[in-house]
Amino acid sequence: MKVYIVGEDDATREIIKRVLTYCSNDFEIISELPARGGQIKQQILNFNTLSLTFPVILLIDLDEKDCAPTLIRQFFSDSIKNNHFIFNIVIDEAEAWLMADRTNFSKFFKVPIEKIPFPKKIRNKKEFYLEMDFPYKSSYYMVNQIIPNSRVKEFKDQMIPQNGAKKGKEYNSALTPFIRKQWDIDNARLNSDSLNRMINRIEKLITSNKQ
């Protein structure tokens, strides 16, 4: 199945590709469409129209927004989302999905597993859902509270921010090998309902394409 993918940065797009591979070996990516959060909102209707030709798989961070349904309403306004526009929202950032595989994240980056927070059941208006629990944005928590405990100097040099930056200069380069080779999605989806929902949407897309 040919698809377009949309992600805010290199790591996010790698996560999309890894999840697609997890679901099926039959995906062919036509193009990767990089776009920051604000650009995604501006282009959302274009992506929606594009999905009428080939499916579009988008992944965006929830960040500080109130909830995923509110964010979707803000993006689409009065427009109707097409069935082949697979719109996915990470709670809270894509990095949370990576650390949801606590065991392999700890092994790969050589950090004590107890430094990685546990998931937590969170209640919204309708139900409970399970997500990783960070005191602030997961990417910042990773580079400020977890990676400094790594036994590998290279990871510290790549990922820990310097001179007022938010992330290290080679942050995405350090994450990419983990995403491609070590990230166990079976482990991660047990600790993140938002990841599990993305998998379910893609599996539904695969099923509909076979009919």
Side-chain angles (χ1 to χ4, degrees):
M1 184 190 312
K2 294 183 177 181
V3 298
Y4 291 95
I5 66 171
V6 183
E8 297 180 87
D9 53 35
D10 291 341
T12 301
R13 291 189 293 278
E14 286 295 334
I15 287 172
I16 298 171
K17 288 186 279 187
R18 181 71 178 77
V19 173
L20 289 176
T21 302
Y22 172 85
C23 293
S24 172
N25 291 320
D26 195 35
F27 282 106
E28 177 185 342
I29 296 172
I30 301 169
S31 180
E32 301 179 29
L33 307 174
R36 304 303 299 173
Q39 294 172 323
I40 287 177
K41 186 172 183 179
Q42 293 169 3
Q43 299 180 45
I44 202 73
L45 298 183
N46 293 333
F47 296 145
N48 199 35
T49 300
L50 182 62
S51 71
L52 293 173
T53 306
F54 290 104
V56 176
I57 316 295
L58 179 146
L59 183 59
I60 188 172
D61 296 338
L62 184 62
D63 288 335
E64 289 87 17
K65 304 296 189 304
D66 291 337
C67 64
T70 298
L71 181 60
I72 292 172
R73 285 194 297 270
Q74 290 175 353
F75 271 49
F76 286 93
S77 186
D78 296 327
S79 301
I80 298 174
K81 186 183 75 63
N82 295 323
N83 290 334
H84 282 183
F85 187 10
I86 312 303
F87 191 100
N88 306 284
I89 301 174
V90 185
I91 300 175
D92 65 320
E93 293 183 296
E95 287 82 355
W97 284 3
L98 301 181
M99 289 182 284
D101 178 14
R102 298 177 71 251
T103 299
N104 285 299
F105 192 93
S106 169
K107 289 179 180 178
F108 185 87
F109 289 102
K110 300 294 188 295
V111 297
I113 194 169
E114 61 268 20
K115 296 295 182 180
I116 305 171
F118 287 95
K120 179 182 179 181
K121 281 190 175 181
I122 304 169
R123 184 170 185 171
N124 62 15
K125 294 180 180 179
K126 296 182 179 180
E127 60 187 352
F128 285 96
Y129 57 95
L130 188 68
E131 297 292 348
M132 295 295 290
D133 184 30
F134 297 93
Y136 49 90
K137 291 180 69 171
S138 55
S139 62
Y140 298 168
Y141 191 89
M142 178 199 296
V143 297
N144 287 290
Q145 301 296 329
I146 297 178
I147 296 302
N149 295 282
S150 175
R151 300 194 303 274
V152 180
K153 182 178 182 299
E154 183 180 7
F155 288 140
K156 295 180 181 180
D157 293 341
Q158 289 176 314
M159 302 178 73
I160 295 175
Q162 302 291 333
N163 302 320
K166 294 181 179 180
K167 300 174 183 177
K169 291 182 178 179
E170 298 179 66
Y171 175 83
N172 287 319
S173 298
L175 284 178
T176 297
F178 173 73
I179 298 167
R180 291 177 177 174
K181 299 177 182 179
Q182 198 75 21
W183 186 40
D184 189 327
I185 295 178
D186 284 322
N187 285 344
R189 71 187 299 189
L190 294 175
N191 292 329
S192 173
D193 286 342
S194 57
L195 171 57
N196 202 50
R197 285 194 293 271
M198 179 177 181
I199 293 168
N200 290 339
R201 291 186 191 105
I202 293 172
E203 289 177 342
K204 184 177 180 180
L205 174 66
I206 294 169
T207 300
S208 66
N209 192 61
K210 291 179 180 179
Q211 294 174 349

